[in-house]
Amino acid sequence: MICTACSCLCDDVFIEDGKVLNACKRGFEHISKFKENRAIPRVRGGTVDVDKAIDEALELLKSSKKPAIYGLDTSTVEAQRLAIKIARKLGCFIDDNSSFCLGDFVEMILRKEVPTTTLDDVRDYAYVIIYWGANVYQSLPRHMSKYTYYPRGAKRNRGYDEDRYLVVVDVRKSDIAKLAKKNAKFIKVERDLELVESFIMAAEGKAPKHIEVVEILREMKKSELNVLFGGLGLKYGLGDTKILAEMINKVNSYAPLAFLPAGFHSNMRGFNETLFEDVGFVNKFSFAENRSDQRFAFTELLKEEAIDCAVIVGTDPVASLPFDISRKLAKIKTIVIDPKDTVTAKLADVVIPSAYSGIESGGTMVRSDGVRVKLEPLEKAEIDDVYILKRILEGL
Ligand code: SF4
């Protein structure tokens, strides 16, 4: 089966004699504990049946003046398409976690502003591997063992022993910097911009402030594929992606360097791609104004009290957003569609229990490198995101 606990979407996980094999600890917990803490259909705290919960959700949406749809990063592409259709029909806002995660990096790739690659090609061909502001040991546990530093690939058959050159850039010595010692280099950055400028200067043949980038560029010259994985640390360190795109393109005038985002929910890229195909933007979109804007990010909508109702799918904003933002959810009507009885579900006006994508429900997801995978569920639940969202779309 395919593990859907993170955007690695590992395809070699299987179950034998009731045991989950090949998964990391996170994947193991995701798969082996999926029956625990399940949501039950509720309306204003009282238990109802699923039909009643869907009817009530429809009533709330019909009476809402400014609704928003939020989440969907663990839903399938098929469910995401339906949610976008609902947003279009309602003329409302739609957003996912990527507006404060790595949506900007995905957008940069979808707009073809930087060269990119696949994780399979990284495993087979990449020599210099840079993790910048991405502690994948925590966020994508098998990233290094399955795709980057450790595995032996078609043209990298000596793996990290001789065929990889790892660079970890972070504000502190992260787990991966501590773990990877062989053919690995750690660069501590106070200001990411200084290192970005150093890469640009070195590629132009000028003396950079961070002198170590000269050696990294020299190593890159030895390979037809090198890759930079950008994480949240890089995004927040830079703020703007323009200078990053300039750096990657400048480096490419000297040696090949592809870019990939690292570290997010299982199908965040699926949401970005699905919305991009439809409206040309990856997140924080208003169908009323037909454009994307920072003001339409779900966190901003809550902060500014710009919505009166939210459909929250497969995410737990009460647990994950800062309290001064998430407490605003108490002022609006909330409809939660989720397999789990999350903190947000416990406080919601309507709860519609759904299936776990990949475990109880099939469909398509998009890996962090844009490769589409078909899920192979262990069992098939009757009520999943697609069923619920289709009912809502038809009922509006
Ligand atoms: S790395 Fe991610 S997808 Fe792979 S087994 Fe672990 S949690 Fe699942």
Side-chain angles (χ1 to χ4, degrees):
M1 68 180 292
I2 287 170
C3 175
T4 51
C6 83
S7 62
C8 282
L9 292 175
C10 293
D11 57 1
D12 55 353
V13 173
F14 64 100
I15 297 187
E16 203 173 78
D17 299 332
K19 286 193 190 125
V20 182
L21 300 172
N22 273 351
C24 66
K25 187 164 176 274
R26 181 169 164 180
F28 173 84
E29 304 247 313
H30 175 70
I31 297 163
S32 59
K33 296 189 177 169
F34 81 94
K35 290 200 168 136
E36 296 176 13
N37 189 34
R38 299 301 297 251
I40 44 169
R42 282 195 300 262
V43 171
R44 286 177 286 281
T47 305
V48 295
D49 60 25
V50 170
D51 287 335
K52 172 76 183 148
I54 293 176
D55 288 346
E56 196 63 28
L58 278 165
E59 287 312 310
L60 289 182
L61 284 172
K62 283 178 189 167
S63 59
S64 160
K65 289 192 173 62
K66 287 183 192 160
I69 301 174
Y70 174 64
L72 295 151
D73 291 332
T74 54
S75 303
T76 60
V77 167
E78 292 78 3
Q80 291 166 344
R81 281 198 195 114
L82 285 164
I84 293 166
K85 281 187 182 160
I86 294 170
R88 186 185 286 281
K89 200 162 184 177
L90 289 168
C92 77
F93 305 102
I94 187 161
D95 190 29
D96 75 327
N97 294 289
S98 74
S99 57
F100 60 87
C101 187
L102 298 181
D104 290 349
F105 287 172
V106 177
E107 187 160 10
M108 203 163 76
I109 290 168
L110 297 182
R111 292 197 186 284
K112 302 192 189 323
E113 290 168 3
V114 288
T116 190
T117 185
T118 65
L119 290 168
D120 305 290
D121 277 355
V122 170
R123 182 196 55 234
D124 283 342
Y125 306 110
Y127 174 53
V128 177
I129 294 158
I130 306 173
Y131 283 110
W132 194 329
N135 187 12
V136 290
Y137 180 75
Q138 299 291 345
S139 58
L140 305 165
R142 294 180 71 205
H143 204 256
M144 289 174 81
S145 60
K146 195 164 160 55
Y147 299 114
T148 67
Y149 178 59
Y150 295 108
R152 296 169 197 278
K155 212 178 163 186
R156 298 281 155 206
N157 48 32
R158 281 163 300 182
Y160 76 107
D161 281 334
E162 289 173 46
D163 270 342
R164 309 283 187 196
Y165 182 96
L166 184 76
V167 181
V168 178
V169 181
D170 222 316
V171 289
R172 67 186 69 83
K173 210 154 193 191
S174 61
D175 299 308
I176 53 173
K178 283 180 203 156
L179 270 174
K181 295 205 173 69
K182 204 162 185 184
N183 300 322
K185 180 184 262 313
F186 170 62
I187 302 178
K188 186 172 185 294
V189 277
E190 304 284 339
R191 292 183 64 236
D192 294 87
L193 185 59
E194 274 179 9
L195 190 61
V196 166
E197 286 168 350
S198 289
F199 271 104
I200 293 174
M201 290 183 79
E204 288 173 341
K206 297 173 190 158
K209 181 167 181 187
H210 285 271
I211 196 71
E212 56 268 63
V213 304
V214 174
E215 181 195 317
I216 297 168
L217 286 187
R218 221 180 281 136
E219 292 295 325
M220 280 187 197
K221 203 86 175 148
K222 296 178 185 170
S223 172
E224 68 213 60
L225 181 64
N226 307 290
V227 63
L228 163 58
F229 290 100
L232 268 186
L234 177 59
K235 174 183 156 145
Y236 284 111
L238 286 180
D240 186 5
T241 56
K242 271 200 194 87
I243 187 79
L244 178 64
E246 185 189 331
M247 180 205 103
I248 294 164
N249 288 311
K250 187 65 80 176
V251 168
N252 270 280
S253 66
Y254 180 84
L257 178 64
F259 178 73
L260 277 172
F264 40 74
H265 295 297
S266 52
N267 202 25
M268 191 196 90
R269 180 152 176 170
F271 178 86
N272 295 145
E273 293 201 2
T274 310
L275 191 63
F276 188 80
E277 280 161 17
D278 198 340
V279 300
F281 295 94
V282 297
N283 52 25
K284 47 187 186 315
F285 191 78
S286 161
F287 276 98
E289 298 195 28
N290 203 29
R291 65 190 179 92
S292 170
D293 192 289
Q294 186 51 34
R295 287 191 302 118
F296 307 151
F298 188 65
T299 47
E300 292 299 314
L301 295 172
L302 282 179
K303 216 191 293 175
E304 298 303 318
E305 302 186 6
I307 50 174
D308 59 4
C309 179
V311 182
I312 297 162
V313 189
T315 190
D316 192 4
V318 176
S320 59
L321 296 181
F323 178 67
D324 62 324
I325 296 175
S326 65
R327 74 189 168 90
K328 304 263 184 177
L329 281 167
K331 293 187 169 185
I332 66 172
K333 301 291 179 201
T334 48
I335 300 156
V336 167
I337 300 171
D338 206 302
K340 279 182 293 193
D341 199 16
T342 61
V343 187
T344 308
K346 287 188 197 333
L347 303 171
D349 294 279
V350 176
V351 180
I352 310 172
S354 187
Y356 272 100
S357 305
I359 301 177
E360 304 166 293
S361 166
T364 312
M365 283 199 177
V366 184
R367 216 166 58 182
S368 60
D369 56 351
V371 169
R372 288 186 176 235
V373 300
K374 285 273 173 222
L375 303 179
E376 299 152 16
L378 297 176
E379 48 192 78
K380 181 83 183 85
E382 199 186 317
I383 297 169
D384 58 9
D385 292 345
V386 166
Y387 172 90
I388 297 162
L389 293 168
K390 204 185 268 176
R391 286 271 311 266
I392 291 177
L393 180 65
E394 286 165 1
L396 284 172

